[in-house]
Amino acid sequence: MNRIEVLRPVHTPRPGIDALHALSINHRNSPLALLERMTLAPGARRELHERFREEGLEAVVLSTCHRTELYCHAQSPEARARAEELWLAPFGDAPRDARFARMGGRAAGTHLFRTAAGLESMVLGEAEVLGQIRGAIESARQSGSAGPFLSRVFHASLRFGGRARSETGIGTGALSIASAAVRLLRGSRRDLSQLTVLVVGAGTTGLKVARHLKADGVGRLVLLNRTPERARRAAEELGAEAIALDQLERWLPEADAVVAAAHVESPLLTVAMLRATGPRSRGPLALVDLSLPRAIDPACSELPGIDVHNLSDLEHVVAENRERRETEIPRVEALLERELEQLSSWALEYSVRSMVSELRRRAESIRQEEVARALEAGGLDTASLDHVTRRLVDRLLHGPVRALREGASGRAEPHVRCLRQAFGIDEEGARDAG
């Protein structure tokens, strides 16, 4: 059975923002093996967003190497529960062993903003997450599951993520997963100029790895991709070589390192493939797996002369820079509080927007009814005008006055405070009127 850690709010509940909910499984609360089982490919994420739309739910799924999260705008517990149920459905039995963090209101907004700033990333301050957040909200918008509320929340988080990096040092010298992988190779092999490195995958992360390798002077860079044309275009840009993915086994004897950053359903590089290449003549082979699910069979590490590194191994690579970047966290959090306060104010205004529209509609309907009644009765002399306006006042105040009287025998104070604020009545004025 899954375990849900409810993160209690440390702020006073606020109408509007309290309709934001989040459920997260991430590298802080779950092992890599479980995260791997709960990763959503872009196509599966799109299908889930479409299902949300079909059921009238406003929800966005964020899925990265280190997290799979649900954000929803739900006014009722039933809507939130249904969104969570749909989100968990594609993972089968995996959620039974999962430990989730559930957040609501400002806590959910804070978590998304911290994620956008890179404060929740394995590599503190990394910027890749901004593209992943942007991709999540765009997928939801295209599928119709992101309405005005979540669109505003997500774009506010993206704006904050940009400000955090431009106005603080949280991104200064920060290592991305891609650069951390290259740092690992450089640390273990020293002179990259003497190495041949195969990069499997020409997506965002794979190309970042390739650019870092090129910038660090790698001797020979080879890109492999399911779509050879994509690899060829990238290779031309980088001055690298491009080959088809099905040539991976043939190239292994010439490689000193393989970095895999590809979306796969099962491992591309297996023990059988390595054994088939025979004894190595180029020294140890370093395998760095940045994929989730993993593209390199972990059992490859059992073979002699093979060093396998995965996402979990990268934490120690970035530890040397983490302390310096951690000193910037208070500045980012101070900026976050200001940005989140603006979002909370907007959310409050958004939550009452429909009520304000309905109040205006009802008031206009009453006005038109009374005008029509007066016109039917004949000319509007002073007495008639006084009668019409008195009826308008009586009808417009009927609902608020009834709410006050019905609450008078019990907890009337909340009604009183609300109406004083709504109509601009201070306590002194109320006593004078009495």
Side-chain angles (χ1 to χ4, degrees):
M1 183 171 180
N2 61 59
R3 293 161 291 170
I4 296 182
E5 176 188 5
V6 180
L7 301 187
R8 302 296 180 186
V10 295
H11 302 280
T12 302
R14 294 278 298 274
I17 196 68
D18 284 350
L20 176 64
H21 303 276
L23 196 60
S24 172
I25 178 171
N26 55 66
H27 68 99
R28 297 187 188 279
N29 60 25
S30 300
L32 177 64
L34 185 56
L35 288 176
E36 187 175 29
R37 294 167 63 193
M38 294 192 66
T39 299
L40 282 174
R45 183 181 64 184
R46 183 172 57 252
E47 291 176 4
L48 194 51
H49 284 151
E50 291 172 352
R51 185 67 187 277
F52 289 141
R53 182 204 66 216
E54 290 168 0
E55 299 214 11
L57 299 169
E58 186 177 3
V60 177
V61 173
L62 173 62
S63 186
T64 75
C65 293
H66 308 124
R67 72 189 67 254
T68 297
E69 298 179 336
L70 168 72
Y71 293 88
C72 67
H73 177 223
Q75 299 286 359
S76 68
E78 293 77 15
R80 186 197 69 195
R82 181 55 178 160
E84 293 177 359
E85 181 182 5
L86 291 176
W87 176 61
L88 293 172
F91 305 123
D93 293 336
R96 287 188 198 172
D97 304 319
R99 180 177 179 181
F100 300 97
R102 172 179 284 152
M103 297 150 281
R106 279 181 71 106
T110 297
H111 180 75
L112 179 59
F113 276 42
R114 288 178 59 86
T115 299
L119 299 186
E120 296 294 327
S121 296
M122 180 181 291
V123 180
L124 181 65
E126 58 93 5
E128 291 175 39
V129 70
L130 285 176
Q132 294 160 338
I133 292 175
R134 186 174 291 107
I137 187 61
E138 286 305 314
S139 171
R141 288 187 58 160
Q142 290 172 9
S143 300
S145 70
F149 186 90
L150 286 182
S151 293
R152 179 67 173 257
V153 169
F154 269 72
H155 284 110
S157 75
L158 289 170
R159 184 179 64 250
F160 168 69
R163 286 193 64 190
R165 289 170 179 83
S166 64
E167 298 180 23
T168 76
I170 196 66
T172 302
L175 292 172
S176 67
I177 290 298
S179 60
V182 176
R183 174 78 57 97
L184 186 149
L185 288 178
R186 192 168 62 235
S188 62
R189 299 306 181 92
R190 303 295 179 188
D191 190 1
L192 291 181
S193 66
Q194 302 301 312
L195 303 185
T196 295
V197 181
L198 311 184
V199 176
V200 180
T204 301
T205 302
L207 291 182
K208 286 185 177 181
V209 170
R211 291 189 181 99
H212 282 296
L213 284 167
K214 204 66 181 177
D216 283 5
V218 68
R220 189 180 187 188
L221 179 61
V222 183
L223 304 183
L224 298 86
N225 198 60
R226 287 191 184 88
T227 308
E229 178 61 24
R230 182 179 178 87
R232 186 188 62 77
R233 290 197 303 267
E236 288 180 357
E237 173 195 339
L238 294 169
E241 301 173 56
I243 61 174
L245 185 58
D246 58 14
Q247 298 296 306
L248 174 60
E249 182 175 342
R250 187 176 71 80
W251 275 78
L252 287 175
E254 301 186 41
D256 298 291
V258 178
V259 182
H263 289 291
V264 296
E265 295 182 359
S266 59
L268 297 173
L269 206 167
T270 63
V271 172
M273 186 181 294
L274 288 172
R275 283 177 174 158
T277 62
R280 289 188 56 77
S281 60
R282 296 180 61 90
L285 175 64
L287 305 179
V288 183
D289 194 352
L290 307 183
S291 308
L292 200 64
R294 283 175 273 200
I296 299 174
D297 187 345
C300 292
S301 63
E302 301 172 7
L303 298 177
I306 305 296
D307 299 322
V308 179
H309 308 275
N310 59 35
L311 286 167
S312 295
D313 300 324
L314 297 179
E315 182 67 26
H316 77 277
V317 179
V318 304
E320 61 191 60
N321 282 340
R322 186 175 184 90
E323 183 176 350
R324 181 178 62 190
R325 285 175 270 134
E326 282 181 344
T327 63
E328 293 295 310
I329 292 177
R331 294 181 62 199
V332 176
E333 291 178 334
L335 182 62
L336 186 154
E337 284 300 314
R338 294 194 294 272
E339 287 281 328
L340 195 60
E341 189 60 35
Q342 292 181 20
L343 178 64
S344 297
S345 297
W346 172 84
L348 177 60
E349 187 272 335
Y350 178 84
S351 70
V352 301
R353 192 177 298 167
S354 59
M355 183 183 299
V356 170
S357 297
E358 178 62 14
L359 283 172
R360 289 185 178 278
R361 188 196 65 78
R362 291 188 181 186
E364 177 61 17
S365 176
I366 290 172
R367 186 191 71 81
Q368 291 181 9
E369 289 176 7
E370 292 303 320
V371 168
R373 187 192 303 272
L375 290 174
E376 289 177 3
L380 281 176
D381 54 21
T382 301
S384 298
L385 188 59
D386 181 71
H387 178 70
V388 169
T389 53
R390 285 180 181 276
R391 281 186 57 86
L392 276 174
V393 169
D394 289 343
R395 293 187 65 183
L396 288 173
L397 294 181
H398 175 71
V401 170
R402 183 178 61 184
L404 270 178
R405 287 173 175 166
E406 288 178 352
S409 60
R411 294 172 294 180
E413 187 57 29
H415 297 282
V416 174
R417 284 199 304 268
C418 183
L419 286 171
R420 279 179 181 159
Q421 185 176 10
F423 288 96
I425 302 172
D426 57 27
E427 292 192 24
E428 183 178 348
R431 285 195 299 268
D432 291 344

